[in-house]
Structures are given as C-alpha cells and as structure tokens.
Amino acid sequence: MPHIGLDMLDRVLNLAMEAPIFGRSDNSPVGWAISTSPVAYPEALAAMEARATAIAEGKAGELVWLIEHPPLYTAGVSAKTADLLQPDRFPVFEAGRGGQYTYHGPGQRVAYVMLDLTQRQRDVRAFVRALETWVIAALDQFNVKGQVRPGRVGVWVERRTPGLSPREDKIAAIGIKLRRWVSFHGISLNVEPDLHHFNGIIPCGVTEHGVTSLVDLGLPVTMAEADAALRMSFAATFGTLADTQPPI
C-alpha cells in the first residue's frame, strides 16, 4: 500500500464517501486488470480496440488495464515529425490517440481506460478533467502536489531548488481516443522509468519544461504502491471497481 499519513488517509476516506465525479448512472463496477510482464505495443493496441468495440456493442464491461511496455515512442494524431529527435533509438508506433509524441517503457505505469461515456457523461472535456483528477488524487497519497496547466495536457509538479528559479516537470501524460463514445488509451504515470529515454523526443511538443517521476522526486515508490494509489483514487473519481481480473 502507499505510504499515507493519518491526515492524508482522512482526506482519502472522505473523498471515497462522496459521489464519484464521473461515475456511471447505474454504478456498475469497472473491471481492473494488471499485466505483470511488458506488453508489446501492437498487441496492446489491438486488445484495446477489440475491448472498446465489445463495450460499445454491450458484449463486455468497462475495464482499466494497467501495463508496462518495452521502451518505445508513440505518435498521437497531432505529432510533428520534427519532434522525433532520435527516430532510430526505439520503435515508433502510430497510436491514433490525441496528443503528440510520448515515451513508454519499464518503470512507467500505463493505464488504458476503456469506459462507456454513454453511461457517464458524453463530455470529452469533463472526461479529461476526471482523468487529471484521478492522477492528482493518486499523487496526493504520496504528498506530491500534481497540477494542471492551461494549454498543457497532463499532470505537472513544481520543483523548487534554493538559489534557482522554480521549474515545472511533467509526471503523467494523458492521451485518449473515443469510438462510439467508448474511450481507450488513457494515462501514463512515471514511477521509475529511465528519464533519459525521453531525450529522443520532444515530449508532447513542450520544450520549455522537463519530465520527472516519483523516484526522481526522491520517493522510493514501488509499482505495486503506485497501483494501489491509482485504484483508490479511481474509485473515488469514476466509481465502483471489481476485483482484479486477468489481463485482456
């Protein structure tokens, strides 16, 4: 479990007692699956698309799928060729999601979120805000203050060093796609990835800010602890979760 102080625990419990901000109208539980081995990107993309189609057709339930990928870059629909600085460093995949270039690799928790917005809110902006709220609430359990910034997608942390100007680094990226009002893709949270691997791209097209991770911030957080924090804050943001199930 995450390392949570008593005051933080009170806040989490109070949040859990409130109605989720982006919950289902019927409060049906959302599936929760964790892959323990790295998943190849084409395999993950095909599985997500198949699950999203099944959800839209009423043949499968909603699902959050937590995975890690081998080192790779993905290009969103707004990616600019010039932002791929080292095209031969890692495999590059067209993702079809919103956003630009990002990196995925070991030590980064990717959460693919397949939700039926017809059962929640048909509001893309509200959905993105809910994803941001989810991540910020998870970071809060480690006493990390995540923030959002106008014009910059994702979750950021402000870093202050004596004698230096404050800087902002991205700790979590968000990129989604909707098909028939079912979402896929989702969020990536930097737990302990090799941050040097971001040097092969301009992450999300942003040059004036960097990237960070929980471990880079001096917090020895394990992937299991990050998963527990994400699960707790997801339930408070999106609603009831089912027991952990096998990966898709």
Side-chain angles (χ1 to χ4, degrees):
M1 287 294 292
H3 305 299
I4 307 175
L6 291 178
D7 59 336
M8 189 65 61
L9 182 59
D10 286 341
R11 279 190 283 172
V12 170
L13 292 175
N14 288 336
L15 181 61
M17 294 175 63
E18 299 174 1
I21 63 173
F22 207 82
R24 283 181 63 103
S25 55
D26 61 2
N27 201 36
S28 295
V30 178
W32 187 264
I34 303 175
S35 290
T36 56
S37 300
V39 180
Y41 193 77
E43 176 186 332
L45 187 60
M48 274 195 295
E49 291 186 341
R51 183 62 175 242
T53 297
I55 293 170
E57 294 174 351
K59 298 177 180 178
E62 297 178 313
L63 181 69
V64 178
W65 184 22
L66 305 184
I67 70 172
E68 291 176 86
H69 286 302
L72 57 91
Y73 298 126
T74 66
V77 295
S78 301
K80 301 175 183 177
T81 303
D83 289 348
L84 182 59
L85 304 178
Q86 299 176 19
D88 299 324
R89 184 167 184 171
F90 297 125
V92 182
F93 297 96
E94 298 289 333
R97 54 159 174 77
Q100 303 185 44
Y101 282 106
T102 195
Y103 164 77
H104 295 312
Q108 181 190 71
R109 176 52 86 208
V110 177
Y112 288 133
V113 182
M114 289 154 273
L115 300 182
D116 185 356
L117 270 61
T118 61
Q119 300 296 326
R120 297 172 181 272
Q121 302 175 41
R122 287 194 177 192
D123 187 328
V124 178
R125 290 186 179 181
F127 178 47
V128 172
R129 287 195 298 270
L131 291 172
E132 293 168 342
T133 299
W134 172 32
V135 174
I136 290 169
L139 292 173
D140 193 43
Q141 295 173 50
F142 302 106
N143 292 314
V144 173
K145 185 178 180 181
Q147 300 176 318
V148 294
R149 292 289 184 264
R152 280 192 260 144
V153 178
V155 178
W156 303 78
V157 294
E158 186 177 274
R159 308 184 70 174
R160 293 180 177 272
T161 303
L164 299 177
S165 299
R167 79 185 209 208
E168 293 179 347
D169 290 339
K170 178 180 279 191
I171 195 167
I174 295 174
I176 62 168
K177 183 173 182 177
L178 295 179
R179 181 178 295 159
R180 295 169 63 182
W181 287 103
V182 175
S183 69
F184 52 111
H185 297 282
I187 66 105
S188 57
L189 172 64
N190 295 332
V191 180
E192 192 180 6
D194 186 338
L195 297 179
H196 292 99
H197 290 171
F198 285 91
N199 294 341
I201 57 172
I202 297 176
C204 301
V206 178
T207 57
E208 63 271 32
H209 303 285
V211 292
T212 190
S213 68
L214 288 167
V215 171
D216 183 53
L217 293 172
L219 300 168
V221 177
T222 67
M223 193 66 76
E225 289 171 335
D227 290 349
L230 286 168
R231 183 179 176 93
M232 187 178 295
S233 58
F234 185 92
T237 307
F238 291 96
T240 306
L241 278 166
D243 293 337
T244 302
Q245 61 190 63
I248 59 176

